[in-house]
Amino acid sequence: MSQTHILRLDSVVKRFGGLTAVNGVSLAIAEGEFFTIVGPSGSGKTTLLRMLAGMDTPSSGDILLRGERINDMPANQRPTCMVFQSLALFPHRTVGQNIEFALKIRGVDAATRKARALELMAQLRLPADYYGKSVTKCSGGERQRVALARSLAYDPAILFFDEPLSAIDYKLRKTLEKELKDIHRETGKTFVYITHSLEEAMVMSDRIGVMCAGEMVQVGTPDEIYTAPRTRFVSEFMGDVNVVPVRLGPDGRLHSDDPPSVFKAPTLPEGFARGHLVVRPESMRFVERAEQADNHVAGRLYNEYALGSRIQYQVRVGERVFIVERLRQQAFAGRLDDAVLIGWDAANSLVVGD
Amino acid sequence: MGAGARWRHPLVWAWAATVLVFMYVPALCLLLASLTSSRYFIFPITKWGVAWWEKTFDSLEIHALFRTSISVALCLTVVAVVIAFCGALAFARYQWRGRTLFQRLVLLPIFFPQSVLGLALLLWFSALGLDLSWRTAVFAHLVWIAPVVTLVIAIQVYSFDPALEEAAFDLGASRWQVFREVTLPVLFPGVFSGALFAFLLSWGNFPLSLFSTGADTTIPEYLYAKMVAGYTPGVPVLGTVSTVGAAVLLLVGYLLIRLGRRSRRDDAVERT
C-alpha cells in the first residue's frame, strides 16, 4: 500500500513564534492523484503547501516522498514544482523563455528546449506564435497556461498549485478548472491543489482534505465530503446549509431549543449525544400539511434570491433563518411575509459534531 | 468637459510654457554668455565669437579638471551602486529586526547640510591622517550619494514580487542562478537609474568636493573659484559643457533602457 503513496505526511507541525500554523497534519497522497486542500484564509493550507514544496521546513513531523524523508531538502532539489498564486512569471522574459527556464538551468541545448516549449504550448492550447511574445502582454488565461507549461517543462513528480485561479473571473475560472482536470488526466502526474473554494475543489479533485485552524478536519472524496461532512465546519464550508443545534432525547428523537421542537433523527453515529442537525437547502421543501414530511417547522417567507438555475428562499422561524432551494422551473408561488410550513425527511438530514 | 478637453485648454499650455521658460532660460543664458569674444561679462553681447570655446578646450588645466571629475564620478558610481544594491535589498526586500531603524539611518545623511557634512568629513580625514585627493572625494560623495541611490533602487525593489525568486529556485536554479537570471535582470532598470543618479550627483557636487579633494579640483570647484575671482567667458563655456554633458548622459541612458527592452523582445522573436 505504501508503495503507491507518492507523498506522506506524518504529524507535520509548523510554528511561527507563538503561532501554530499547521498542527499535526498526517496524510497520504496516492501516485497520480488530484488532491485538493481546502480551507478558509488562515487555516494553514498555504503553509502546508510551502512545506511540501520545500519553501518552509516543518517544526516537527516528517514529509516523505516515495518513502524518502525530504523535510530539509531545498525546493530546487525536490522533484516537485509549484504554480504560484501570483503565477510569478518572469516579467523580463518571453513566453518561450519562461517555459524553457527549468531546461535552461539543466543545460539543455536551445533547439531541444524550443521543441519542448512548443510541444507544451500546443498541449496547453497556446498559439505557437506566442513563443516570442512578452509575458506581460498575455491575458489572464494565457498567463495561467504559461505558468502551467513552465512547471510541466520541469517534468515534476508532483505539481503543487497555490490558488492560481483565485484572481480570475468566474467564467474563465470555470473553463480553466476543467482544462486543469484534463491536463491532470493527460499527464498522469500527481496534483496537489489548494483553494478556499470547495466548489472549485469539487469540480477537479479525486480527494479533498478540509483544513481548519491548522488541522486537517476531514479527508475524503468530493462525494463523501458533500454527503457526509463530519463536523459543523465542514458542512457549512460546503455553502449555505441549515444547521440546528440538537441533543438526543431518551425517546431516540432529536430535541432542539431554537426552534423549540423535536425532530425525527436520521441514522445516528455511535455514541451521539449532542451536536448539530444539518439539512441541505435542496432537501428542504415547502409543505401544505405537517404529515407530508418527517419533520417540519412553521415560519414566514422572508426573502428570495435568484441563483441562476435555482431560487433560494429564506424562511424566518423565530430568530433563526432556514433556507430552502428549488429549481427555477418549480418556483414557489408564496408571497413575502406569508406564513409557510417547511419540512424535510429524516433520511435527507444528518448529524455532525462541532 | 472630459479630461482630454481640459488638457487642451490654452491656459494649461501657457502655464506649462512659463514653467519651462523659467527652468531652462538660465541654462540658455549660460550658453549665450559663452559665445562672446569679449574678455568680460557684458550683456547683451556685442561681439559674438567662439574664441573662448577653443581656448577652453585647448587648456591643459581644463583637461585635468575633466579627468578628476570623471574619475571621482566613475569610481563613486561603481562603489555606490554595489553598496546601494545590497542596501536596497535590506531596505525593501527582506523583513529583519532593526529594518525600520536602518531605513531611518540611511535617509538621515540625505537631509544633512552638505557643507557641514563636508567639514565633518574633512575633520575625520585629517584625524585619520589621510592625504586629501580625488580618492577621499569619492568617499565623501559616497556618504551622501549612496543613500540616495539606495532609495532609487529600493523603489524598484518594492515592486519586486519575491515569488519570482521562489519560482526560479523551485524550478531547479541555484541561489546564484536565481540572482543572475531573475533578481538582477528584473531589478536592472532600478540599478541603471541608480547608477545614472550616482554619476550625475557626483558630477555636479560642489560642497562635498570643496572639503575633500585637497589639491585636486573638480569642475564645480573650478567654476566656483573662477566666479569668485578671475571670471573669464571660459566659465560659461565649461558650465555649458558640464550641463549639456549631463543632459546627454541622461538622454543616452534613457535610450539605452528603451533599446535594451526592445532588443530583448527582438531577440526572442528572431529565435522563433
Side-chain angles (χ1 to χ4, degrees):
Chain A
M1 186 64 192
S2 68
Q3 290 301 309
T4 58
H5 283 147
I6 188 166
L7 194 65
R8 271 171 51 108
L9 284 74
D10 193 8
S11 314
V12 171
V13 174
K14 179 67 179 179
R15 290 185 205 92
F16 295 107
L19 181 91
T20 305
V22 173
N23 191 8
V25 170
S26 296
L27 191 66
I29 293 172
E31 186 96 48
E33 192 173 21
F34 197 135
F35 190 92
T36 303
I37 301 167
V38 283
S41 5
S43 59
K45 57 188 192 304
T46 299
T47 308
L48 185 64
L49 194 73
R50 289 178 62 84
M51 287 192 283
L52 299 183
M55 284 156 214
D56 270 325
T57 47
S59 305
S60 68
D62 284 326
I63 299 171
L64 301 150
L65 181 77
R66 295 194 171 118
E68 186 197 352
R69 185 176 178 275
I70 56 162
N71 284 26
D72 304 313
M73 187 188 280
N76 62 349
Q77 284 163 32
R78 292 191 190 193
T80 61
C81 204
M82 172 121 111
V83 177
F84 287 77
Q85 183 164 25
S86 67
L87 301 181
L89 294 176
F90 306 131
H92 58 301
R93 299 268 191 254
T94 61
V95 168
Q97 288 169 331
N98 263 279
I99 298 173
E100 290 173 14
F101 187 85
L103 301 174
K104 191 179 167 195
I105 292 294
R106 276 181 209 158
V108 176
D109 67 275
T112 316
R113 289 203 309 251
K114 185 174 175 185
R116 179 68 183 135
L118 289 172
E119 201 177 290
L120 283 165
M121 286 169 69
Q123 188 182 1
L124 292 169
R125 300 201 285 116
L126 279 164
D129 60 347
Y130 272 42
Y131 182 82
K133 191 174 176 175
S134 163
V135 280
T136 52
K137 294 214 167 75
C138 292
S139 73
E142 289 159 5
R143 290 164 59 81
Q144 293 283 342
R145 295 191 180 104
V146 175
L148 186 54
R150 185 178 69 175
S151 295
L152 286 170
Y154 183 75
D155 196 23
I158 308 179
L159 218 60
F160 298 115
F161 297 86
D162 181 10
E163 306 200 43
L165 302 183
S166 58
I168 297 226
D169 66 79
Y170 183 82
K171 193 157 175 273
L172 182 58
R173 194 167 70 229
K174 290 287 139 200
T175 313
L176 291 173
E177 281 170 6
K178 287 184 183 136
E179 276 187 30
L180 202 56
K181 192 167 179 174
D182 294 346
I183 295 292
H184 174 250
R185 201 186 137 87
E186 285 163 27
T187 58
K189 290 188 185 299
T190 309
F191 280 23
V192 178
Y193 192 99
I194 68 172
T195 174
H196 57 265
S197 158
L198 195 54
E199 195 194 344
E200 196 171 304
M202 289 292 217
V203 174
M204 298 186 291
S205 323
D206 295 321
R207 277 194 309 154
I208 296 172
V210 183
M211 278 191 83
C212 175
E215 288 177 31
M216 193 67 80
V217 288
Q218 189 170 358
V219 177
T221 62
D223 193 51
E224 282 164 7
I225 300 278
Y226 187 82
T227 56
R230 271 212 293 273
T231 67
R232 175 180 181 171
F233 174 80
V234 177
S235 64
E236 287 187 331
F237 203 68
M238 281 304 308
D240 294 325
V241 288
N242 297 293
V243 179
V244 183
V246 289
R247 62 184 184 281
L248 185 61
D251 53 357
R253 292 164 74 86
L254 296 172
H255 294 245
S256 146
D257 295 329
D258 175 25
S261 193
V262 178
F263 302 123
K264 183 181 174 194
T267 319
L268 294 175
E270 215 161 301
F272 180 86
R274 55 173 57 240
H276 302 273
L277 178 70
V278 176
V279 187
R280 302 213 154 276
E282 65 268 26
S283 302
M284 277 283 185
R285 61 182 194 269
F286 292 100
V287 292
E288 275 149 23
R289 293 184 311 280
E291 315 84 79
Q292 288 175 333
D294 290 348
N295 298 304
H296 70 274
V297 286
R300 284 188 179 277
L301 186 58
Y302 183 70
N303 221 336
E304 61 175 67
Y305 309 96
L307 303 179
S309 61
R310 292 158 300 135
I311 300 176
Q312 185 182 89
Y313 301 90
Q314 279 195 350
V315 176
R316 283 203 170 225
V317 180
E319 284 305 300
R320 191 171 281 281
V321 175
F322 282 81
I323 45 186
V324 184
E325 277 179 21
R326 302 185 65 156
L327 289 175
R328 177 170 289 282
Q329 298 93 305
Q330 297 153 10
F332 180 60
R335 259 182 306 200
L336 297 188
D337 292 326
D338 277 356
V340 291
L341 204 57
I342 52 175
W344 69 92
D345 293 325
N348 291 332
S349 66
L350 60 105
V351 290
V352 295
D354 262 317
Chain B
M1 191 159 87
R6 226 175 5 244
W7 282 114
R8 281 194 294 274
H9 198 281
L11 274 181
V12 171
W13 283 105
W15 176 246
T18 312
V19 169
L20 285 176
V21 164
F22 268 93
M23 280 167 65
Y24 289 105
V25 159
L28 199 65
C29 288
L30 200 64
L31 174 65
L32 293 177
S34 73
L35 292 172
T36 178
S37 50
S38 153
R39 170 73 178 74
Y40 304 101
F41 185 57
I42 304 160
F43 218 72
I45 289 156
T46 45
K47 280 188 287 176
W48 297 86
V50 291
W52 285 102
W53 281 76
E54 284 165 16
K55 243 181 234 172
T56 307
F57 281 112
D58 288 343
S59 157
L60 288 178
E61 192 189 7
I62 303 294
H63 291 177
L65 289 179
F66 269 95
R67 262 198 307 279
T68 309
S69 271
I70 288 174
S71 304
V72 173
L74 277 183
C75 289
L76 171 106
T77 302
V78 172
V79 182
V81 164
V82 171
I83 294 177
F85 184 74
C86 301
L89 291 181
F91 194 99
R93 165 77 170 83
Y94 297 104
Q95 293 290 340
W96 49 287
R97 270 167 65 98
R99 183 170 101 145
T100 315
L101 185 68
F102 170 74
Q103 289 174 335
R104 304 271 149 74
L105 285 177
V106 162
L107 288 179
L108 220 52
I110 300 177
F111 302 109
F112 214 66
Q114 284 189 57
S115 41
V116 181
L117 193 63
L119 183 63
L121 283 162
L122 175 62
L123 294 176
W124 263 108
F125 290 143
S126 40
L128 294 171
L130 291 172
D131 290 333
L132 296 184
S133 72
W134 66 269
R135 292 178 192 82
T136 41
V138 171
F139 186 81
H141 284 194
L142 207 55
V143 175
W144 186 68
I145 293 173
V148 177
V149 181
T150 304
L151 278 191
V152 171
I153 300 179
I155 292 166
Q156 186 87 35
V157 177
Y158 270 120
S159 66
F160 181 81
D161 178 7
L164 292 179
E165 285 180 348
E166 285 186 333
F169 188 62
D170 189 45
L171 287 163
S174 66
R175 294 279 174 207
W176 166 243
Q177 283 170 321
V178 170
F179 180 78
R180 203 190 55 206
E181 297 287 334
V182 177
T183 316
L184 194 59
V186 173
L187 294 179
F188 187 74
V191 173
F192 190 78
S193 317
L196 273 181
F197 261 86
F199 190 91
L200 293 172
L201 287 176
S202 169
W203 181 256
N205 188 282
F206 169 67
L208 292 169
S209 300
L210 180 67
F211 289 100
S212 59
T213 49
D216 293 332
T217 310
T218 63
I219 295 171
E221 277 181 282
Y222 175 86
L223 289 175
Y224 179 76
K226 280 289 179 188
M227 278 184 279
V228 171
Y231 175 88
T232 69
V235 170
V237 170
L238 199 53
T240 307
V241 171
S242 174
T243 311
V244 170
V248 166
L249 190 65
L250 257 181
L251 207 69
V252 169
Y254 173 74
L255 287 177
L256 277 180
I257 287 186
R258 296 225 14 202
L259 219 68
R261 261 186 222 143
R262 189 169 313 159
S263 81
R264 207 147 47 205
R265 264 205 302 280
D266 291 347
D267 272 2
V269 172
E270 265 168 41
R271 285 171 52 202
T272 319

